PDB file of all heavy atoms in Angstrom:
ATOM      1  N   GLN D   1     -27.868 -27.656  11.310  1.00 92.00           N
ATOM      2  CA  GLN D   1     -26.451 -27.987  11.514  1.00 92.00           C
ATOM      3  C   GLN D   1     -25.634 -26.933  10.745  1.00 92.00           C
ATOM      4  O   GLN D   1     -25.826 -26.791   9.555  1.00 92.00           O
ATOM      5  CB  GLN D   1     -26.134 -29.372  11.023  1.00 92.00           C
ATOM      6  CG  GLN D   1     -24.709 -29.799  11.157  1.00 92.00           C
ATOM      7  CD  GLN D   1     -24.348 -30.042  12.642  1.00 92.00           C
ATOM      8  OE1 GLN D   1     -25.146 -30.513  13.394  1.00 92.00           O
ATOM      9  NE2 GLN D   1     -23.097 -29.743  12.998  1.00 92.00           N
ATOM     10  N   MET D   2     -24.811 -26.184  11.430  1.00 92.00           N
ATOM     11  CA  MET D   2     -24.076 -25.055  10.757  1.00 92.00           C
ATOM     12  C   MET D   2     -23.104 -25.575   9.749  1.00 92.00           C
ATOM     13  O   MET D   2     -22.501 -26.650   9.907  1.00 92.00           O
ATOM     14  CB  MET D   2     -23.392 -24.188  11.757  1.00 92.00           C
ATOM     15  CG  MET D   2     -24.271 -23.333  12.619  1.00 92.00           C
ATOM     16  SD  MET D   2     -23.388 -22.048  13.539  1.00 92.00           S
ATOM     17  CE  MET D   2     -22.285 -23.052  14.570  1.00 92.00           C
ATOM     18  N   LEU D   3     -22.899 -24.722   8.712  1.00 94.00           N
ATOM     19  CA  LEU D   3     -21.877 -25.001   7.698  1.00 94.00           C
ATOM     20  C   LEU D   3     -20.508 -24.951   8.317  1.00 94.00           C
ATOM     21  O   LEU D   3     -20.288 -24.263   9.353  1.00 94.00           O
ATOM     22  CB  LEU D   3     -22.004 -23.952   6.615  1.00 94.00           C
ATOM     23  CG  LEU D   3     -21.106 -24.172   5.353  1.00 94.00           C
ATOM     24  CD1 LEU D   3     -21.591 -25.400   4.585  1.00 94.00           C
ATOM     25  CD2 LEU D   3     -21.234 -22.985   4.419  1.00 94.00           C
ATOM     26  N   ASN D   4     -19.541 -25.672   7.739  1.00 91.00           N
ATOM     27  CA  ASN D   4     -18.218 -25.733   8.296  1.00 91.00           C
ATOM     28  C   ASN D   4     -17.478 -24.393   8.152  1.00 91.00           C
ATOM     29  O   ASN D   4     -17.840 -23.532   7.329  1.00 91.00           O
ATOM     30  CB  ASN D   4     -17.371 -26.877   7.658  1.00 91.00           C
ATOM     31  CG  ASN D   4     -17.136 -26.631   6.175  1.00 91.00           C
ATOM     32  OD1 ASN D   4     -16.449 -25.750   5.761  1.00 91.00           O
ATOM     33  ND2 ASN D   4     -17.773 -27.533   5.368  1.00 91.00           N
ATOM     34  N   TYR D   5     -16.373 -24.223   8.868  1.00 86.00           N
ATOM     35  CA  TYR D   5     -15.625 -22.958   8.941  1.00 86.00           C
ATOM     36  C   TYR D   5     -15.039 -22.570   7.610  1.00 86.00           C
ATOM     37  O   TYR D   5     -15.249 -21.447   7.147  1.00 86.00           O
ATOM     38  CB  TYR D   5     -14.455 -23.138   9.963  1.00 86.00           C
ATOM     39  CG  TYR D   5     -13.527 -21.990   9.976  1.00 86.00           C
ATOM     40  CD1 TYR D   5     -13.773 -20.851  10.792  1.00 86.00           C
ATOM     41  CD2 TYR D   5     -12.368 -21.972   9.191  1.00 86.00           C
ATOM     42  CE1 TYR D   5     -12.885 -19.816  10.814  1.00 86.00           C
ATOM     43  CE2 TYR D   5     -11.464 -20.923   9.222  1.00 86.00           C
ATOM     44  CZ  TYR D   5     -11.714 -19.850  10.083  1.00 86.00           C
ATOM     45  OH  TYR D   5     -10.882 -18.755  10.058  1.00 86.00           O
ATOM     46  N   GLU D   6     -14.396 -23.503   6.912  1.00 86.00           N
ATOM     47  CA  GLU D   6     -13.695 -23.165   5.644  1.00 86.00           C
ATOM     48  C   GLU D   6     -14.674 -22.673   4.577  1.00 86.00           C
ATOM     49  O   GLU D   6     -14.404 -21.675   3.896  1.00 86.00           O
ATOM     50  CB  GLU D   6     -12.928 -24.428   5.122  1.00 86.00           C
ATOM     51  CG  GLU D   6     -11.730 -24.786   5.969  1.00 86.00           C
ATOM     52  CD  GLU D   6     -12.094 -25.565   7.205  1.00 86.00           C
ATOM     53  OE1 GLU D   6     -13.305 -25.978   7.391  1.00 86.00           O
ATOM     54  OE2 GLU D   6     -11.206 -25.718   8.087  1.00 86.00           O
ATOM     55  N   GLU D   7     -15.845 -23.340   4.458  1.00 93.00           N
ATOM     56  CA  GLU D   7     -16.792 -22.939   3.432  1.00 93.00           C
ATOM     57  C   GLU D   7     -17.444 -21.619   3.841  1.00 93.00           C
ATOM     58  O   GLU D   7     -17.823 -20.789   2.932  1.00 93.00           O
ATOM     59  CB  GLU D   7     -17.848 -24.020   3.207  1.00 93.00           C
ATOM     60  CG  GLU D   7     -17.252 -25.246   2.509  1.00 93.00           C
ATOM     61  CD  GLU D   7     -18.267 -26.315   2.228  1.00 93.00           C
ATOM     62  OE1 GLU D   7     -19.374 -25.956   1.751  1.00 93.00           O
ATOM     63  OE2 GLU D   7     -17.958 -27.485   2.433  1.00 93.00           O
ATOM     64  N   SER D   8     -17.614 -21.395   5.138  1.00 92.00           N
ATOM     65  CA  SER D   8     -18.170 -20.142   5.586  1.00 92.00           C
ATOM     66  C   SER D   8     -17.241 -18.937   5.236  1.00 92.00           C
ATOM     67  O   SER D   8     -17.700 -17.870   4.822  1.00 92.00           O
ATOM     68  CB  SER D   8     -18.356 -20.185   7.111  1.00 92.00           C
ATOM     69  OG  SER D   8     -19.329 -21.172   7.464  1.00 92.00           O
ATOM     70  N   ILE D   9     -15.937 -19.152   5.411  1.00 90.00           N
ATOM     71  CA  ILE D   9     -14.959 -18.151   5.098  1.00 90.00           C
ATOM     72  C   ILE D   9     -15.066 -17.871   3.553  1.00 90.00           C
ATOM     73  O   ILE D   9     -14.980 -16.664   3.131  1.00 90.00           O
ATOM     74  CB  ILE D   9     -13.530 -18.577   5.449  1.00 90.00           C
ATOM     75  CG1 ILE D   9     -13.329 -18.474   7.006  1.00 90.00           C
ATOM     76  CG2 ILE D   9     -12.472 -17.752   4.755  1.00 90.00           C
ATOM     77  CD1 ILE D   9     -13.390 -17.064   7.512  1.00 90.00           C
ATOM     78  N   LEU D  10     -15.151 -18.903   2.773  1.00 91.00           N
ATOM     79  CA  LEU D  10     -15.277 -18.699   1.320  1.00 91.00           C
ATOM     80  C   LEU D  10     -16.477 -17.883   0.928  1.00 91.00           C
ATOM     81  O   LEU D  10     -16.411 -16.963   0.139  1.00 91.00           O
ATOM     82  CB  LEU D  10     -15.320 -20.063   0.658  1.00 91.00           C
ATOM     83  CG  LEU D  10     -15.477 -20.086  -0.906  1.00 91.00           C
ATOM     84  CD1 LEU D  10     -14.249 -19.410  -1.549  1.00 91.00           C
ATOM     85  CD2 LEU D  10     -15.661 -21.514  -1.420  1.00 91.00           C
ATOM     86  N   ILE D  11     -17.625 -18.174   1.606  1.00 95.00           N
ATOM     87  CA  ILE D  11     -18.829 -17.383   1.312  1.00 95.00           C
ATOM     88  C   ILE D  11     -18.616 -15.943   1.706  1.00 95.00           C
ATOM     89  O   ILE D  11     -18.955 -15.002   0.965  1.00 95.00           O
ATOM     90  CB  ILE D  11     -20.008 -18.033   2.052  1.00 95.00           C
ATOM     91  CG1 ILE D  11     -20.391 -19.343   1.424  1.00 95.00           C
ATOM     92  CG2 ILE D  11     -21.226 -17.062   2.027  1.00 95.00           C
ATOM     93  CD1 ILE D  11     -21.401 -20.155   2.204  1.00 95.00           C
ATOM     94  N   PHE D  12     -18.051 -15.725   2.879  1.00 93.00           N
ATOM     95  CA  PHE D  12     -17.831 -14.355   3.359  1.00 93.00           C
ATOM     96  C   PHE D  12     -16.955 -13.581   2.375  1.00 93.00           C
ATOM     97  O   PHE D  12     -17.223 -12.414   2.024  1.00 93.00           O
ATOM     98  CB  PHE D  12     -17.176 -14.347   4.743  1.00 93.00           C
ATOM     99  CG  PHE D  12     -18.128 -14.014   5.830  1.00 93.00           C
ATOM    100  CD1 PHE D  12     -18.742 -15.044   6.519  1.00 93.00           C
ATOM    101  CD2 PHE D  12     -18.391 -12.712   6.181  1.00 93.00           C
ATOM    102  CE1 PHE D  12     -19.679 -14.771   7.571  1.00 93.00           C
ATOM    103  CE2 PHE D  12     -19.309 -12.428   7.209  1.00 93.00           C
ATOM    104  CZ  PHE D  12     -19.869 -13.429   7.868  1.00 93.00           C
ATOM    105  N   ASN D  13     -15.849 -14.202   1.899  1.00 91.00           N
ATOM    106  CA  ASN D  13     -14.986 -13.518   0.959  1.00 91.00           C
ATOM    107  C   ASN D  13     -15.670 -13.210  -0.358  1.00 91.00           C
ATOM    108  O   ASN D  13     -15.464 -12.097  -0.924  1.00 91.00           O
ATOM    109  CB  ASN D  13     -13.720 -14.378   0.700  1.00 91.00           C
ATOM    110  CG  ASN D  13     -12.666 -14.248   1.810  1.00 91.00           C
ATOM    111  OD1 ASN D  13     -12.399 -13.120   2.269  1.00 91.00           O
ATOM    112  ND2 ASN D  13     -12.151 -15.345   2.260  1.00 91.00           N
ATOM    113  N   GLN D  14     -16.506 -14.114  -0.852  1.00 92.00           N
ATOM    114  CA  GLN D  14     -17.229 -13.876  -2.098  1.00 92.00           C
ATOM    115  C   GLN D  14     -18.214 -12.707  -1.958  1.00 92.00           C
ATOM    116  O   GLN D  14     -18.303 -11.764  -2.815  1.00 92.00           O
ATOM    117  CB  GLN D  14     -17.955 -15.112  -2.535  1.00 92.00           C
ATOM    118  CG  GLN D  14     -17.075 -16.241  -3.010  1.00 92.00           C
ATOM    119  CD  GLN D  14     -16.422 -15.932  -4.368  1.00 92.00           C
ATOM    120  OE1 GLN D  14     -17.036 -15.415  -5.250  1.00 92.00           O
ATOM    121  NE2 GLN D  14     -15.159 -16.277  -4.472  1.00 92.00           N
ATOM    122  N   VAL D  15     -18.956 -12.682  -0.905  1.00 94.00           N
ATOM    123  CA  VAL D  15     -19.962 -11.631  -0.651  1.00 94.00           C
ATOM    124  C   VAL D  15     -19.318 -10.291  -0.413  1.00 94.00           C
ATOM    125  O   VAL D  15     -19.662  -9.242  -0.961  1.00 94.00           O
ATOM    126  CB  VAL D  15     -20.894 -12.032   0.503  1.00 94.00           C
ATOM    127  CG1 VAL D  15     -21.830 -10.885   0.836  1.00 94.00           C
ATOM    128  CG2 VAL D  15     -21.724 -13.277   0.087  1.00 94.00           C
ATOM    129  N   ALA D  16     -18.275 -10.292   0.444  1.00 91.00           N
ATOM    130  CA  ALA D  16     -17.582  -9.031   0.772  1.00 91.00           C
ATOM    131  C   ALA D  16     -16.916  -8.421  -0.484  1.00 91.00           C
ATOM    132  O   ALA D  16     -16.928  -7.201  -0.684  1.00 91.00           O
ATOM    133  CB  ALA D  16     -16.544  -9.230   1.875  1.00 91.00           C
ATOM    134  N   SER D  17     -16.402  -9.297  -1.328  1.00 92.00           N
ATOM    135  CA  SER D  17     -15.756  -8.844  -2.594  1.00 92.00           C
ATOM    136  C   SER D  17     -16.778  -8.218  -3.488  1.00 92.00           C
ATOM    137  O   SER D  17     -16.536  -7.136  -4.103  1.00 92.00           O
ATOM    138  CB  SER D  17     -15.047 -10.017  -3.267  1.00 92.00           C
ATOM    139  OG  SER D  17     -14.517  -9.610  -4.516  1.00 92.00           O
ATOM    140  N   ALA D  18     -17.967  -8.813  -3.579  1.00 93.00           N
ATOM    141  CA  ALA D  18     -19.002  -8.285  -4.447  1.00 93.00           C
ATOM    142  C   ALA D  18     -19.501  -6.950  -3.913  1.00 93.00           C
ATOM    143  O   ALA D  18     -19.707  -5.996  -4.694  1.00 93.00           O
ATOM    144  CB  ALA D  18     -20.206  -9.242  -4.482  1.00 93.00           C
ATOM    145  N   ILE D  19     -19.651  -6.766  -2.608  1.00 93.00           N
ATOM    146  CA  ILE D  19     -20.059  -5.506  -1.994  1.00 93.00           C
ATOM    147  C   ILE D  19     -19.060  -4.427  -2.288  1.00 93.00           C
ATOM    148  O   ILE D  19     -19.403  -3.306  -2.668  1.00 93.00           O
ATOM    149  CB  ILE D  19     -20.260  -5.652  -0.481  1.00 93.00           C
ATOM    150  CG1 ILE D  19     -21.493  -6.575  -0.174  1.00 93.00           C
ATOM    151  CG2 ILE D  19     -20.458  -4.305   0.174  1.00 93.00           C
ATOM    152  CD1 ILE D  19     -21.648  -6.907   1.291  1.00 93.00           C
ATOM    153  N   LYS D  20     -17.727  -4.750  -2.120  1.00 90.00           N
ATOM    154  CA  LYS D  20     -16.712  -3.730  -2.355  1.00 90.00           C
ATOM    155  C   LYS D  20     -16.760  -3.303  -3.834  1.00 90.00           C
ATOM    156  O   LYS D  20     -16.599  -2.076  -4.088  1.00 90.00           O
ATOM    157  CB  LYS D  20     -15.359  -4.296  -1.975  1.00 90.00           C
ATOM    158  CG  LYS D  20     -14.226  -3.269  -2.147  1.00 90.00           C
ATOM    159  CD  LYS D  20     -12.972  -3.769  -1.576  1.00 90.00           C
ATOM    160  CE  LYS D  20     -11.889  -2.674  -1.654  1.00 90.00           C
ATOM    161  NZ  LYS D  20     -10.620  -3.053  -1.052  1.00 90.00           N
ATOM    162  N   PHE D  21     -16.929  -4.213  -4.767  1.00 92.00           N
ATOM    163  CA  PHE D  21     -16.940  -3.800  -6.128  1.00 92.00           C
ATOM    164  C   PHE D  21     -18.147  -2.939  -6.476  1.00 92.00           C
ATOM    165  O   PHE D  21     -18.026  -1.927  -7.134  1.00 92.00           O
ATOM    166  CB  PHE D  21     -16.935  -5.025  -7.079  1.00 92.00           C
ATOM    167  CG  PHE D  21     -17.072  -4.703  -8.549  1.00 92.00           C
ATOM    168  CD1 PHE D  21     -16.004  -4.201  -9.239  1.00 92.00           C
ATOM    169  CD2 PHE D  21     -18.321  -4.854  -9.132  1.00 92.00           C
ATOM    170  CE1 PHE D  21     -16.172  -3.842 -10.581  1.00 92.00           C
ATOM    171  CE2 PHE D  21     -18.475  -4.437 -10.496  1.00 92.00           C
ATOM    172  CZ  PHE D  21     -17.367  -3.973 -11.205  1.00 92.00           C
ATOM    173  N   ILE D  22     -19.304  -3.362  -5.929  1.00 93.00           N
ATOM    174  CA  ILE D  22     -20.539  -2.576  -6.173  1.00 93.00           C
ATOM    175  C   ILE D  22     -20.399  -1.156  -5.629  1.00 93.00           C
ATOM    176  O   ILE D  22     -20.797  -0.175  -6.276  1.00 93.00           O
ATOM    177  CB  ILE D  22     -21.712  -3.304  -5.521  1.00 93.00           C
ATOM    178  CG1 ILE D  22     -22.066  -4.577  -6.359  1.00 93.00           C
ATOM    179  CG2 ILE D  22     -22.992  -2.370  -5.507  1.00 93.00           C
ATOM    180  CD1 ILE D  22     -23.109  -5.438  -5.723  1.00 93.00           C
ATOM    181  N   GLU D  23     -19.789  -1.055  -4.475  1.00 91.00           N
ATOM    182  CA  GLU D  23     -19.598   0.303  -3.873  1.00 91.00           C
ATOM    183  C   GLU D  23     -18.683   1.176  -4.735  1.00 91.00           C
ATOM    184  O   GLU D  23     -18.946   2.350  -4.933  1.00 91.00           O
ATOM    185  CB  GLU D  23     -19.050   0.211  -2.478  1.00 91.00           C
ATOM    186  CG  GLU D  23     -20.033  -0.295  -1.467  1.00 91.00           C
ATOM    187  CD  GLU D  23     -19.474  -0.313  -0.065  1.00 91.00           C
ATOM    188  OE1 GLU D  23     -18.205  -0.412   0.117  1.00 91.00           O
ATOM    189  OE2 GLU D  23     -20.241  -0.218   0.901  1.00 91.00           O
ATOM    190  N   SER D  24     -17.649   0.551  -5.352  1.00 90.00           N
ATOM    191  CA  SER D  24     -16.801   1.280  -6.259  1.00 90.00           C
ATOM    192  C   SER D  24     -17.540   1.767  -7.509  1.00 90.00           C
ATOM    193  O   SER D  24     -17.348   2.863  -7.983  1.00 90.00           O
ATOM    194  CB  SER D  24     -15.563   0.487  -6.605  1.00 90.00           C
ATOM    195  OG  SER D  24     -15.923  -0.548  -7.502  1.00 90.00           O
ATOM    196  N   VAL D  25     -18.385   0.912  -8.027  1.00 91.00           N
ATOM    197  CA  VAL D  25     -19.263   1.276  -9.150  1.00 91.00           C
ATOM    198  C   VAL D  25     -20.197   2.410  -8.837  1.00 91.00           C
ATOM    199  O   VAL D  25     -20.370   3.355  -9.609  1.00 91.00           O
ATOM    200  CB  VAL D  25     -20.068   0.068  -9.676  1.00 91.00           C
ATOM    201  CG1 VAL D  25     -21.080   0.454 -10.747  1.00 91.00           C
ATOM    202  CG2 VAL D  25     -19.093  -1.006 -10.270  1.00 91.00           C
ATOM    203  N   GLU D  26     -20.811   2.331  -7.649  1.00 92.00           N
ATOM    204  CA  GLU D  26     -21.735   3.387  -7.208  1.00 92.00           C
ATOM    205  C   GLU D  26     -21.063   4.726  -7.081  1.00 92.00           C
ATOM    206  O   GLU D  26     -21.590   5.772  -7.474  1.00 92.00           O
ATOM    207  CB  GLU D  26     -22.366   2.963  -5.842  1.00 92.00           C
ATOM    208  CG  GLU D  26     -23.392   1.871  -5.980  1.00 92.00           C
ATOM    209  CD  GLU D  26     -24.636   2.358  -6.770  1.00 92.00           C
ATOM    210  OE1 GLU D  26     -25.107   3.491  -6.529  1.00 92.00           O
ATOM    211  OE2 GLU D  26     -25.088   1.600  -7.626  1.00 92.00           O
ATOM    212  N   LYS D  27     -19.797   4.743  -6.497  1.00 89.00           N
ATOM    213  CA  LYS D  27     -19.070   5.952  -6.371  1.00 89.00           C
ATOM    214  C   LYS D  27     -18.748   6.592  -7.719  1.00 89.00           C
ATOM    215  O   LYS D  27     -18.837   7.740  -7.935  1.00 89.00           O
ATOM    216  CB  LYS D  27     -17.763   5.747  -5.600  1.00 89.00           C
ATOM    217  CG  LYS D  27     -17.947   5.450  -4.117  1.00 89.00           C
ATOM    218  CD  LYS D  27     -16.590   5.250  -3.435  1.00 89.00           C
ATOM    219  CE  LYS D  27     -16.809   4.949  -1.938  1.00 89.00           C
ATOM    220  NZ  LYS D  27     -15.535   4.652  -1.256  1.00 89.00           N
ATOM    221  N   LYS D  28     -18.441   5.676  -8.683  1.00 88.00           N
ATOM    222  CA  LYS D  28     -18.158   6.167 -10.048  1.00 88.00           C
ATOM    223  C   LYS D  28     -19.404   6.753 -10.648  1.00 88.00           C
ATOM    224  O   LYS D  28     -19.327   7.822 -11.333  1.00 88.00           O
ATOM    225  CB  LYS D  28     -17.626   5.024 -10.897  1.00 88.00           C
ATOM    226  CG  LYS D  28     -17.271   5.366 -12.303  1.00 88.00           C
ATOM    227  CD  LYS D  28     -16.693   4.183 -12.989  1.00 88.00           C
ATOM    228  CE  LYS D  28     -16.338   4.488 -14.434  1.00 88.00           C
ATOM    229  NZ  LYS D  28     -15.865   3.274 -15.143  1.00 88.00           N
ATOM    230  N   MET D  29     -20.555   6.110 -10.436  1.00 89.00           N
ATOM    231  CA  MET D  29     -21.802   6.587 -11.013  1.00 89.00           C
ATOM    232  C   MET D  29     -22.283   7.880 -10.364  1.00 89.00           C
ATOM    233  O   MET D  29     -22.954   8.699 -11.019  1.00 89.00           O
ATOM    234  CB  MET D  29     -22.885   5.540 -10.902  1.00 89.00           C
ATOM    235  CG  MET D  29     -22.656   4.280 -11.744  1.00 89.00           C
ATOM    236  SD  MET D  29     -23.814   2.944 -11.403  1.00 89.00           S
ATOM    237  CE  MET D  29     -25.358   3.680 -12.013  1.00 89.00           C
ATOM    238  N   ASP D  30     -21.873   8.089  -9.151  1.00 88.00           N
ATOM    239  CA  ASP D  30     -22.311   9.286  -8.373  1.00 88.00           C
ATOM    240  C   ASP D  30     -21.510  10.504  -8.745  1.00 88.00           C
ATOM    241  O   ASP D  30     -21.937  11.665  -8.455  1.00 88.00           O
ATOM    242  CB  ASP D  30     -22.175   9.034  -6.858  1.00 88.00           C
ATOM    243  CG  ASP D  30     -23.279   8.082  -6.345  1.00 88.00           C
ATOM    244  OD1 ASP D  30     -24.272   7.882  -7.018  1.00 88.00           O
ATOM    245  OD2 ASP D  30     -23.070   7.530  -5.238  1.00 88.00           O
ATOM    246  N   ARG D  31     -20.324  10.312  -9.363  1.00 80.00           N
ATOM    247  CA  ARG D  31     -19.513  11.457  -9.698  1.00 80.00           C
ATOM    248  C   ARG D  31     -20.252  12.263 -10.801  1.00 80.00           C
ATOM    249  O   ARG D  31     -20.748  11.740 -11.762  1.00 80.00           O
ATOM    250  CB  ARG D  31     -18.179  11.013 -10.265  1.00 80.00           C
ATOM    251  CG  ARG D  31     -17.278  10.384  -9.217  1.00 80.00           C
ATOM    252  CD  ARG D  31     -15.869  10.243  -9.744  1.00 80.00           C
ATOM    253  NE  ARG D  31     -15.139   9.246  -8.993  1.00 80.00           N
ATOM    254  CZ  ARG D  31     -14.732   8.083  -9.496  1.00 80.00           C
ATOM    255  NH1 ARG D  31     -15.004   7.773 -10.734  1.00 80.00           N
ATOM    256  NH2 ARG D  31     -14.071   7.259  -8.725  1.00 80.00           N
ATOM    257  N   PRO D  32     -20.215  13.609 -10.622  1.00 72.00           N
ATOM    258  CA  PRO D  32     -20.869  14.452 -11.704  1.00 72.00           C
ATOM    259  C   PRO D  32     -20.099  14.307 -13.009  1.00 72.00           C
ATOM    260  O   PRO D  32     -18.875  14.272 -13.017  1.00 72.00           O
ATOM    261  CB  PRO D  32     -20.746  15.885 -11.115  1.00 72.00           C
ATOM    262  CG  PRO D  32     -19.647  15.785 -10.144  1.00 72.00           C
ATOM    263  CD  PRO D  32     -19.697  14.427  -9.563  1.00 72.00           C
ATOM    264  N   ALA D  33     -20.817  14.252 -14.083  1.00 59.00           N
ATOM    265  CA  ALA D  33     -20.247  14.174 -15.398  1.00 59.00           C
ATOM    266  C   ALA D  33     -19.480  15.437 -15.697  1.00 59.00           C
ATOM    267  O   ALA D  33     -19.909  16.526 -15.346  1.00 59.00           O
ATOM    268  CB  ALA D  33     -21.298  13.854 -16.443  1.00 59.00           C
ATOM    269  N   ALA D  34     -18.372  15.313 -16.389  1.00 51.00           N
ATOM    270  CA  ALA D  34     -17.592  16.473 -16.815  1.00 51.00           C
ATOM    271  C   ALA D  34     -18.401  17.325 -17.787  1.00 51.00           C
ATOM    272  O   ALA D  34     -18.993  16.817 -18.711  1.00 51.00           O
ATOM    273  CB  ALA D  34     -16.220  16.063 -17.459  1.00 51.00           C
ATOM    274  N   GLN D  35     -18.418  18.584 -17.553  1.00 55.00           N
ATOM    275  CA  GLN D  35     -19.161  19.494 -18.412  1.00 55.00           C
ATOM    276  C   GLN D  35     -18.329  19.924 -19.605  1.00 55.00           C
ATOM    277  O   GLN D  35     -17.166  20.320 -19.496  1.00 55.00           O
ATOM    278  CB  GLN D  35     -19.604  20.770 -17.628  1.00 55.00           C
ATOM    279  CG  GLN D  35     -20.569  20.374 -16.467  1.00 55.00           C
ATOM    280  CD  GLN D  35     -21.862  19.801 -16.942  1.00 55.00           C
ATOM    281  OE1 GLN D  35     -22.399  20.303 -17.932  1.00 55.00           O
ATOM    282  NE2 GLN D  35     -22.293  18.784 -16.288  1.00 55.00           N
ATOM    283  N   PRO D  36     -18.905  19.888 -20.819  1.00 51.00           N
ATOM    284  CA  PRO D  36     -18.189  20.346 -22.003  1.00 51.00           C
ATOM    285  C   PRO D  36     -17.925  21.883 -21.921  1.00 51.00           C
ATOM    286  O   PRO D  36     -18.715  22.611 -21.318  1.00 51.00           O
ATOM    287  CB  PRO D  36     -19.076  19.997 -23.173  1.00 51.00           C
ATOM    288  CG  PRO D  36     -20.434  19.962 -22.586  1.00 51.00           C
ATOM    289  CD  PRO D  36     -20.263  19.441 -21.146  1.00 51.00           C
ATOM    290  N   PRO D  37     -16.846  22.384 -22.490  1.00 50.00           N
ATOM    291  CA  PRO D  37     -16.647  23.834 -22.484  1.00 50.00           C
ATOM    292  C   PRO D  37     -17.735  24.569 -23.220  1.00 50.00           C
ATOM    293  O   PRO D  37     -18.331  24.027 -24.166  1.00 50.00           O
ATOM    294  CB  PRO D  37     -15.303  24.014 -23.197  1.00 50.00           C
ATOM    295  CG  PRO D  37     -15.172  22.766 -24.084  1.00 50.00           C
ATOM    296  CD  PRO D  37     -15.862  21.699 -23.295  1.00 50.00           C
ATOM    297  N   ALA D  38     -18.016  25.773 -22.785  1.00 53.00           N
ATOM    298  CA  ALA D  38     -18.995  26.611 -23.501  1.00 53.00           C
ATOM    299  C   ALA D  38     -18.554  26.916 -24.881  1.00 53.00           C
ATOM    300  O   ALA D  38     -17.372  26.859 -25.218  1.00 53.00           O
ATOM    301  CB  ALA D  38     -19.175  27.888 -22.682  1.00 53.00           C
ATOM    302  N   ASP D  39     -19.535  27.239 -25.761  1.00 51.00           N
ATOM    303  CA  ASP D  39     -19.255  27.434 -27.172  1.00 51.00           C
ATOM    304  C   ASP D  39     -18.233  28.581 -27.351  1.00 51.00           C
ATOM    305  O   ASP D  39     -17.450  28.574 -28.330  1.00 51.00           O
ATOM    306  CB  ASP D  39     -20.552  27.778 -27.930  1.00 51.00           C
ATOM    307  CG  ASP D  39     -21.492  26.597 -28.014  1.00 51.00           C
ATOM    308  OD1 ASP D  39     -20.993  25.449 -27.818  1.00 51.00           O
ATOM    309  OD2 ASP D  39     -22.666  26.790 -28.222  1.00 51.00           O
ATOM    310  N   ASP D  40     -18.270  29.547 -26.455  1.00 50.00           N
ATOM    311  CA  ASP D  40     -17.373  30.690 -26.658  1.00 50.00           C
ATOM    312  C   ASP D  40     -16.073  30.571 -25.853  1.00 50.00           C
ATOM    313  O   ASP D  40     -15.301  31.508 -25.696  1.00 50.00           O
ATOM    314  CB  ASP D  40     -18.071  32.001 -26.256  1.00 50.00           C
ATOM    315  CG  ASP D  40     -18.498  31.959 -24.812  1.00 50.00           C
ATOM    316  OD1 ASP D  40     -18.422  30.917 -24.153  1.00 50.00           O
ATOM    317  OD2 ASP D  40     -18.895  33.073 -24.266  1.00 50.00           O
TER     318      ASP D  40
END
């Protein structure tokens, strides 16, 4: 017996929000670290 509409929407919003946040973290981690200036 399928879950009701309202609770299904709540689950979708929770999962989609987690995915979006994780993707933003991944993009941040994928950025190359800033290189310090050379000694000279």
Side-chain angles (χ1 to χ4, degrees):
Q1 182 69 35
M2 287 193 299
L3 188 65
N4 64 67
Y5 173 87
E6 290 78 13
E7 291 183 44
S8 298
I9 287 292
L10 179 62
I11 290 171
F12 257 94
N13 278 316
Q14 289 291 318
V15 173
S17 176
I19 292 172
K20 183 171 183 177
F21 175 76
I22 288 171
E23 287 185 334
S24 70
V25 171
E26 285 294 315
K27 287 180 181 178
K28 183 178 177 181
M29 292 172 68
D30 288 342
R31 293 191 200 112
Q35 296 297 317
D39 292 339
D40 60 349

